[in-house]
Amino acid sequence: MAYSWQIPNIRSTIKLINYFFEQLLFPSKCVKCGVYLPPQIAGEKFLDSFFCDACTGIGISVIDSPYCTICGSTFPNSSDKGHVCETCIRTPLCLGKVRAPVEYKGIIQDAIPLFKYKSKLSLLKTLEPMLFNCFLQHYEYSNIDLILPMPLHRHKLKQRGFNQAYLLVRKFEKMFAKKRGLSPSWHLDLSSLKRIKKTAPQTGFDIKERKKNLKNAFQVVHPKKIKNKYILLVDDVFTTGATCNEAAEELLKNGARQVDALVLART
Ligand SMILES: [Zn+2]
Ligand SMILES: [Zn+2]
């Protein structure tokens, strides 16, 4: 008992020594251009620590109020109070609200495609907590029942090898329990919604074309599980919102009470 304080100390010293040798033998490289990065101090990693100075550019743009109370888009005039934006008035979303920690610009615009298309999964070390903190900020006290990562079509899942939305939330339950010391009242749902249509990439499509491309793309396979539930859809990027909205429409049609979206970045 008298020496119990030494145990965590020894552990953290071993961890530091391991980290030192790891840095020496396998120095980190910039995830974008591949140049070697200077040795980094062990501890919490931030997104810019994965990039060299030249690639860090403008860094990240954190989303702060004022923003649209529905779709979460920021208002250029910072003296504006939060209200509903013109796009949401003209073309209302099926989603209750959309929240994101950062705007899709700067290094996040590099980080997400590197994570998604080049399998730079080490970036999850910062992307995951970034999304989790945003979740706590907006949803900790909002009676969410289910967190539903946006499903991929089975062909795309096979081709990519992973579902990026699932990787972003797979540790949420553990992270919540660790941070708050109790089990969450919500849980992950990986089976209720399926993507049944192989859609063309949305890039280059306008809003109408995106909507048409996504028509009947989703199917609820377990309506009982979602009946009367408050669902939080999770995806990586929100551009026009066509994908999230189509999925929300399908969930609401099948009895969900409310569907919101949490995304890593929005344009
Ligand atoms: Zn670089
Ligand atoms: Zn809006």
Side-chain angles (χ1 to χ4, degrees):
M1 188 66 189
Y3 298 104
S4 63
W5 59 270
Q6 285 185 341
I7 297 164
N9 243 359
I10 291 166
R11 274 199 191 140
S12 55
T13 311
I14 293 170
K15 228 176 165 181
L16 264 175
I17 294 169
N18 277 343
Y19 186 78
F20 173 76
F21 280 109
E22 200 184 286
Q23 291 271 309
L24 205 68
L25 296 169
F26 310 104
S28 309
K29 285 179 178 178
C30 168
V31 284
K32 189 179 176 187
C33 72
V35 301
Y36 285 108
L37 297 172
Q40 291 165 15
I41 302 157
E44 198 184 345
K45 277 205 156 203
F46 296 97
L47 192 57
D48 54 5
S49 59
F50 287 90
F51 293 84
C52 69
D53 285 349
C55 292
T56 304
I58 58 163
I60 57 173
S61 303
V62 174
I63 293 179
D64 214 343
S65 63
Y67 45 73
C68 169
T69 47
I70 297 178
C71 74
S73 66
T74 48
F75 296 122
N77 185 350
S78 61
S79 64
D80 274 354
K81 278 195 174 158
H83 55 83
V84 179
C85 77
E86 209 182 314
T87 315
C88 287
I89 294 170
R90 263 198 237 155
T91 43
L93 292 167
C94 294
L95 295 154
K97 63 178 182 191
V98 182
R99 293 295 178 261
V102 291
E103 289 187 76
Y104 192 60
K105 52 169 84 157
I107 44 174
I108 201 80
Q109 207 173 350
D110 290 318
I112 293 178
L114 283 165
F115 155 58
K116 197 165 148 182
Y117 303 119
K118 304 274 179 194
S119 305
K120 301 276 184 191
L121 302 186
S122 59
L123 288 165
L124 273 171
K125 279 181 205 157
T126 65
L127 300 180
E128 213 175 14
M130 192 189 284
L131 192 66
F132 181 67
N133 288 334
C134 183
F135 167 73
L136 288 184
Q137 187 189 342
H138 297 287
Y139 290 100
E140 183 165 9
Y141 305 106
S142 64
N143 301 324
I144 287 284
D145 295 302
L146 304 169
I147 295 183
L148 209 151
M150 186 64 74
L152 285 184
H153 187 271
R154 64 182 202 283
H155 288 165
K156 195 168 260 181
L157 184 63
K158 205 172 173 190
Q159 184 189 11
R160 190 173 296 162
F162 59 87
N163 175 344
Q164 72 278 3
Y166 167 66
L167 291 191
L168 286 166
V169 293
R170 68 183 163 156
K171 292 184 192 153
F172 266 30
E173 282 161 314
K174 260 190 190 170
M175 288 161 98
F176 185 90
K178 195 177 169 193
K179 194 152 189 142
R180 298 289 182 244
L182 48 98
S183 299
S185 54
W186 40 264
H187 64 269
L188 291 190
D189 179 345
L190 309 175
S191 60
S192 293
L193 187 70
K194 275 208 167 135
R195 197 158 178 156
I196 49 165
K197 192 170 129 189
K198 221 178 142 196
T199 48
Q202 298 275 66
T203 326
F205 284 1
D206 63 20
I207 298 177
K208 263 191 179 172
E209 288 165 331
R210 282 177 186 233
K211 204 167 164 44
K212 200 177 157 194
N213 185 33
L214 286 158
K215 190 131 188 73
N216 302 323
F218 296 98
Q219 186 187 33
V220 170
V221 280
H222 298 298
K224 269 188 190 165
K225 277 172 77 177
I226 62 148
K227 199 161 176 59
N228 216 22
K229 298 283 194 256
Y230 183 1
I231 299 171
L232 182 63
L233 277 170
V234 175
D235 208 357
D236 52 350
V237 182
F238 188 95
T239 311
T240 62
T243 313
C244 282
N245 206 51
E246 187 66 29
E249 200 177 332
E250 181 66 16
L251 289 162
L252 291 166
K253 222 164 63 186
N254 283 275
R257 187 170 88 245
Q258 183 173 335
V259 184
D260 286 4
L262 175 72
V263 294
L264 197 51
R266 59 151 307 137
T267 52

